[in-house]
């Protein structure tokens, strides 16, 4: 399996990513194949507009029920906000993956 070379985010997250305030993303199993050490081009989900490159640092499994305030802090939101966003995007999914990244300057 070839590691993905692109990633998309909702446009509302662009400012936090570029400011270094959002340093993880939590995705479902369909996006677990990112490889630590690779760099991906990032664009907005809505219009496909490129806005940065991210260096993938780690990909680790996490259960929805095990999400903590630390995960929320890394997402630059509260735990309640984080759980709501994930529930909206991945309703009913317990098995998730935390993708940690660093902005490529």
């Amino acid at each position: 399996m070839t590691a993905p070379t692109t990633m998309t985010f909702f446009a509302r997250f662009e400012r936090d990513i570029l400011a270094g305030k959002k340093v993880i993303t939590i995705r479902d199993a369909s996006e677990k194949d990112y490889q630590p050490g690779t760099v991906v081009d990032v664009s907005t989900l809505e219009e496909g507009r490129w806005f940065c490159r991210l260096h993938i640092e780690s990909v680790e499994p996490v259960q929805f029920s095990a999400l903590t305030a630390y995960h929320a802090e890394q997402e630059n939101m509260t735990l309640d906000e984080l759980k709501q966003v994930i529930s909206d995007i991945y309703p009913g999914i317990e098995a998730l993956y935390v993708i940690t990244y660093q902005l490529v300057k």
Side-chain angles (χ1 to χ4, degrees):
M1 164 117 3
T2 305
T5 58
T6 61
M7 184 180 281
T8 58
F9 285 90
F10 289 111
R12 68 180 185 257
F13 297 128
E14 178 178 356
R15 182 174 293 148
D16 282 352
I17 292 167
L18 293 176
K21 293 178 180 174
K22 177 174 165 52
V23 295
I24 66 169
T25 185
I26 299 173
R27 306 290 174 107
D28 71 358
S30 72
E31 295 191 71
K32 72 179 185 344
D33 295 321
Y34 288 94
Q35 294 298 311
T38 62
V39 173
V40 296
D41 283 299
V42 180
S43 56
T44 58
L45 181 67
E46 295 87 345
E47 67 269 354
R49 179 180 46 78
W50 181 93
F51 67 90
C52 74
R53 298 176 83 215
L54 297 176
H55 179 267
I56 305 299
E57 297 189 337
S58 66
V59 180
E60 298 177 356
V62 66
Q63 297 298 302
F64 179 83
S65 57
L67 291 173
T68 67
Y70 182 64
H71 291 115
E73 182 183 317
Q74 292 177 296
E75 287 269 16
N76 197 36
M77 56 184 81
T78 68
L79 183 55
D80 286 344
E81 288 172 328
L82 176 61
K83 287 189 169 189
Q84 186 59 58
V85 166
I86 292 173
S87 295
D88 290 347
I89 299 170
Y90 306 117
I93 301 213
E94 177 68 15
L96 299 163
Y97 294 83
V98 176
I99 302 169
T100 305
Y101 56 79
Q102 191 167 1
L103 183 65
V104 175
K105 303 268 186 212

